Amino acid sequence: MASDGSEKSAAATPSSDPVAVAVPDFMQGLLKEVDGVVASLPPSVQDILTKGSEQTKVQKSVLALGVALLPVLLVLYFLGGADLLVNLVGFLWPAMQSFKAIEAKTDEGARRWLSYWVVYGSLSIVETLLFFVVNMIPYYPLAKMAFLIYCYHPKLNGAGMIYDKVLKPFVVSKLVKTHSE
């Protein structure tokens, strides 16, 4: 898959792999501090972080920060902040990447993020119409969060697949037919 211009520098990603996690510039200072903390951890913990970093292609500092924030996010989730957390996960990163794609003026980035927002909007409409069913599904916010990550993850590009296989055949064909008449 072509890069959408989301990588800033070699320091922002653990490798030159275009699907590696790009870290926004404003977080670089925080990650340097986390690197210092990671360096002071016991060797066994550092080995675990190194293996996890190699397998996920995510910087050790980003991985450590995620592990440290996980309990806080889970407490927030279970205390009623599930909708907020899901909306942040489904909105913040895709919005930042959409701004970058607009400014980069590349067709690949624009198509990818437009596909995501069409899927995101479609999900929102379906959720609103079927709220009574959604409310009966246990752990629905976790499933929704996983689905949204699947949709925007660079390796998976679920939004592009859903757009091409589900939405395009049913919606686009109707729109083109209507506008051509």
Side-chain angles (χ1 to χ4, degrees):
M1 171 185 263
S3 173
D4 63 358
S6 63
E7 292 80 33
K8 284 292 183 187
S9 67
T13 59
S15 71
S16 61
D17 185 1
V19 297
V21 175
V23 179
D25 291 335
F26 66 88
M27 289 186 63
Q28 291 300 324
L30 172 65
L31 291 180
K32 286 180 183 177
E33 289 183 34
V34 172
D35 279 334
V37 172
V38 168
S40 68
L41 293 173
S44 59
V45 175
Q46 287 185 24
D47 290 343
I48 292 170
L49 286 173
T50 301
K51 287 178 185 174
S53 177
E54 290 170 356
Q55 290 177 350
T56 61
K57 296 187 182 343
V58 175
Q59 288 173 271
K60 283 197 304 188
S61 55
V62 174
L63 197 60
L65 191 60
V67 169
L69 287 176
L70 186 62
V72 174
L73 295 175
L74 287 173
V75 167
L76 175 66
Y77 177 85
F78 288 115
L79 289 178
D83 289 336
L84 173 64
L85 188 60
V86 170
N87 287 330
L88 288 174
V89 166
F91 182 80
L92 284 180
W93 184 257
M96 289 184 347
Q97 296 305 312
S98 296
F99 288 130
K100 288 179 183 179
I102 290 167
E103 294 304 315
K105 296 174 177 64
T106 61
D107 289 341
E108 178 61 30
R111 185 185 194 296
R112 178 171 174 234
W113 292 110
L114 282 171
S115 297
Y116 173 80
W117 291 115
V118 168
V119 170
Y120 184 88
S122 300
L123 176 64
S124 295
I125 290 170
V126 169
E127 279 181 319
T128 302
L129 293 174
L130 300 175
F131 70 93
F132 52 92
V133 174
V134 169
N135 289 337
M136 291 189 291
I137 299 173
Y139 303 107
Y140 175 76
L142 285 177
K144 179 182 176 183
M145 189 182 324
F147 174 74
L148 291 174
I149 292 170
Y150 162 75
C151 284
Y152 69 69
H153 192 279
K155 278 187 177 179
L156 303 173
N157 193 21
M161 195 248 348
I162 291 168
Y163 177 82
D164 290 337
K165 303 271 190 224
V166 178
L167 297 173
K168 188 176 181 180
F170 297 106
V171 178
V172 175
S173 63
K174 305 294 187 260
L175 288 175
V176 172
K177 183 179 173 185
T178 303
H179 288 292
S180 64
E181 291 178 346

